[in-house]
Amino acid sequence: MTVKLIIRRLLFLVLVVWAASTIVFLIPRLSSRNALRERFGELARTGGFSPQDLEKIIASMQQQFGLEQPLYQQYWHYLGNILRMDFGYSLYRYPSTVSEVIAQSLPWTIGLLLVTTILSFIIGNLLGAVAAWPRAPRWLRAFAAPFILLTGVPPVIMAILLLFFIGFRLKWLPLGGAYSAGVVPNLSFGFAFDMLQHQVLPALALILGSVGGWVLSMRGMGVTIQGEDYVNFAEHKGLTGGRIFRDYYLRNAMLPQVTALALAPAAIVTSAIIVEGLFGLPGIGSALNLAIRANDFPTIYGIVVFITIAVAVLMTVVEFLYPLLDPRVRNS
């Protein structure tokens, strides 16, 4: 990969982040709702302070958030804050900053998404490859069929079904929460096991909701590769079925799947937002859900822009690593 190509892809990364950040900045401002007035108006109804005090508080907060400035000044200030990863203060968790909210929620989401994405990727691609491999046992190919049917079941519906049958009716696993009520987080094996039990249902919902897509796409790639010359040549050379499957069939069919893997977190996080809310996990999805319900624009900005930057960086890293997997694209 040439230096010119690296610079071009890095510039494209910057362009993607800038475009997404600009959209995130403009869309909420098309609404006529005033986030500060709604938030502190709700506090006034419960707190009992006078309308005069409410107006003073709103004016002070608008000055602190820079909302009294012209739109273009707010925009430049907003872009500068993104460069510093400073998204301001959260309205519903004030005086906590948005960066603190993200930092507190991120470990839970990373743990959940990392495990579910890797497991669904491995399981789905192996089942999909076996389903298309003509030398595989018939019972093994039939085993992949039910997972293909799961493609039509969204992870959110899967979460509700698992929550009702396994958590509520059978009582095999906890209904929700990051860990049991009354348990103090510590570094003991007991706490780790308790926390793991609470992660099984949401993780299983995301895995079952996404593994079918991997099976279906890998099966399609496997069927296409069966007629390629290098596979036929390997068979005529007399290589064993296992080696052909591993080195010629699976390795080449996996190339498009690796690209799709970089996009997977962007698709899964949309489901994780609701799944985390259903199971009461304190992750990014729950934080974004609370921010939307509270009309907390700074937190919505911060989380959406952070996810956008993370996915764009991940895609760029995959672009740099892809030539190592496929030498044919090194000079493209």
Side-chain angles (χ1 to χ4, degrees):
M1 183 177 293
T2 63
V3 176
K4 182 179 179 181
L5 185 59
I6 293 176
I7 294 175
R8 187 173 63 186
R9 291 182 177 176
L10 290 177
L11 289 176
F12 182 75
L13 169 63
V14 174
L15 178 63
V16 169
V17 172
W18 169 78
S21 302
T22 301
I23 293 173
V24 170
F25 174 82
L26 291 177
I27 287 181
R29 283 169 169 75
L30 298 177
S31 173
S32 59
R33 299 173 63 183
N34 189 315
L36 288 173
R37 185 170 296 277
E38 291 186 7
R39 178 60 178 166
F40 286 96
E42 181 181 348
L43 294 177
R45 289 190 294 270
T46 58
F49 50 85
S50 64
Q52 294 81 5
D53 293 335
L54 174 62
E55 293 300 326
K56 292 179 181 178
I57 292 174
I58 292 175
S60 175
M61 295 302 295
Q62 283 181 332
Q63 183 177 4
Q64 181 175 353
F65 282 95
L67 298 179
E68 81 288 351
Q69 299 175 352
L71 187 61
Y72 73 91
Q73 291 185 4
Q74 295 183 39
Y75 178 66
W76 288 116
H77 182 68
Y78 166 79
L79 292 180
N81 287 339
I82 288 180
L83 293 176
R84 300 189 300 270
M85 296 300 290
D86 179 12
F87 303 108
Y89 290 93
S90 171
L91 294 183
Y92 78 98
R93 291 189 182 180
Y94 188 85
S96 297
T97 64
V98 176
S99 299
E100 291 173 347
V101 173
I102 294 175
Q104 294 169 3
S105 307
L106 192 59
W108 296 97
T109 300
I110 288 179
L112 180 64
L113 291 184
L114 189 64
V115 172
T116 55
T117 301
I118 292 176
L119 287 180
S120 61
F121 179 79
I122 294 175
I123 296 172
N125 282 289
L126 287 178
L127 289 176
V130 170
W133 183 241
R135 299 186 183 182
R138 182 174 297 179
W139 67 269
L140 194 55
R141 283 185 285 169
F143 182 71
F147 291 93
I148 297 178
L149 298 177
L150 293 177
T151 308
V153 182
V156 177
I157 303 300
M158 186 63 65
I160 295 174
L161 294 175
L162 293 174
L163 192 63
F164 178 75
F165 288 105
I166 296 181
F168 180 72
R169 294 296 297 271
L170 300 177
K171 302 184 185 302
W172 287 352
L173 291 168
L175 290 173
Y179 42 83
S180 300
V183 174
V184 179
N186 55 77
L187 297 177
S188 66
F189 176 78
F191 175 74
F193 182 73
D194 179 76
M195 187 175 63
L196 181 63
Q197 285 182 307
H198 286 75
Q199 309 299 315
V200 171
L201 283 183
L204 193 60
L206 292 176
I207 291 173
L208 293 178
S210 57
V211 71
W214 292 117
V215 174
L216 194 60
S217 59
M218 188 62 178
R219 183 179 180 275
M221 288 301 305
V223 171
T224 303
I225 284 179
Q226 286 177 23
E228 294 291 340
D229 293 338
Y230 53 83
V231 177
N232 295 331
F233 180 71
E235 292 176 350
H236 291 311
K237 285 174 62 178
L239 299 179
T240 62
R243 184 175 178 185
I244 295 174
F245 179 81
R246 184 186 69 247
D247 296 339
Y248 293 85
Y249 176 78
L250 184 61
R251 182 177 179 181
N252 288 280
M254 283 292 295
L255 293 176
Q257 302 296 86
V258 173
T259 302
L261 178 62
L263 293 173
I268 294 178
V269 75
T270 57
S271 300
I273 291 174
I274 304 178
V275 170
E276 285 182 349
L278 284 174
F279 290 96
L281 299 178
I284 290 288
S286 297
L288 181 58
N289 190 22
L290 290 173
I292 292 173
R293 288 191 294 175
N295 201 23
D296 183 359
F297 288 164
T299 303
I300 297 173
Y301 291 159
I303 293 177
V304 173
V305 170
F306 177 81
I307 293 174
T308 302
I309 293 174
V311 173
V313 170
L314 185 59
M315 281 295 300
T316 304
V317 171
V318 170
E319 278 196 85
F320 290 149
L321 295 179
Y322 200 82
L324 301 178
L325 302 175
D326 189 357
R328 295 173 295 180
V329 300
R330 287 181 182 175
N331 298 319
S332 59

